[in-house]
Amino acid sequence: MFTTRKSRAERTAAQAWDHLSAAMAAAGETARDAGKQAADAADRAGRGTRALADRTSTLADKTSRRSRKLATRVDKKSHKLAGKASKASHELASRAGGAADEAWARANAAAGALAGNKPGRPWGLIAGVGLLGLAAGWVAASTARAALERQAENEELELAETAVVVTPTYEEKQQ
């Protein structure tokens, strides 16, 4: 009827462990599938290249100079196609590898969270914001200093324009 905190904690930990296990298994399956797809694409490209090379050599043996030129063109095209197929298979493998890496990173983060580890602070972002604040403060201080200097110059000019020069004169006393 009443459940204790310990059993709740154990149940929560068991559920978290189940989710973590599922995430790790999914990451492994994703990586395995990506590897299979890349291997299949490379195998298909290799078979196509071999078949084209076999046809090219047979034509070169049986025909004249004209057929040799044709065979050379076919050979070049087969190399191009093999290169494209190889490039496509590498791209497919790298995409799948990226998905597998992301899955592993998330699974490791989940394992760290279950172990009680806190994620690290984003020091790069903190330093960037600090530098941005420093730059903004410097700009504000420079602007304020320039404005005060301009104001002082304007006051000096105004004072110089409105100043009255009084020269003392000496009058003699009359007796």
Side-chain angles (χ1 to χ4, degrees):
M1 179 164 164
F2 294 103
T3 59
T4 64
R5 288 182 186 243
K6 187 174 181 181
S7 65
R8 273 190 212 148
E10 288 174 354
R11 187 173 42 236
T12 302
Q15 288 175 350
W17 181 255
D18 290 342
H19 288 294
L20 176 63
S21 298
M24 293 291 245
E29 288 175 14
T30 301
R32 192 171 33 255
D33 289 345
K36 284 181 183 177
Q37 288 178 353
D40 289 346
D43 186 45
R44 276 183 272 153
R47 275 188 264 134
T49 303
R50 271 186 251 121
L52 285 174
D54 289 344
R55 279 191 232 148
T56 302
S57 66
T58 304
L59 285 174
D61 289 342
K62 291 182 180 179
T63 59
S64 66
R65 185 185 303 169
R66 189 172 190 190
S67 64
R68 283 188 201 132
K69 288 180 183 180
L70 179 62
T72 304
R73 278 190 259 154
V74 170
D75 190 39
K76 286 180 183 178
K77 284 189 179 189
S78 70
H79 285 295
K80 278 185 181 179
L81 289 174
K84 285 182 182 180
S86 175
K87 193 175 188 179
S89 67
H90 285 295
E91 185 178 320
L92 180 64
S94 68
R95 271 196 238 152
D101 290 343
E102 177 68 20
W104 278 112
R106 288 180 182 222
N108 286 330
L114 280 175
N117 299 333
K118 293 182 180 177
R121 287 206 169 96
W123 288 112
L125 181 62
I126 292 170
V129 169
L131 288 174
L132 185 64
L134 183 69
W138 180 77
V139 167
S142 298
T143 305
R145 188 179 312 117
L148 287 174
E149 287 176 2
R150 267 188 259 115
Q151 183 181 5
E153 287 175 5
N154 288 339
E155 286 176 0
E156 277 185 39
L157 287 174
E158 186 178 316
L159 185 62
E161 288 175 358
T162 60
V164 175
V165 177
V166 177
T167 55
T169 59
Y170 294 103
E171 293 181 19
E172 291 182 33
K173 290 185 184 180
Q174 291 182 7
Q175 295 178 337

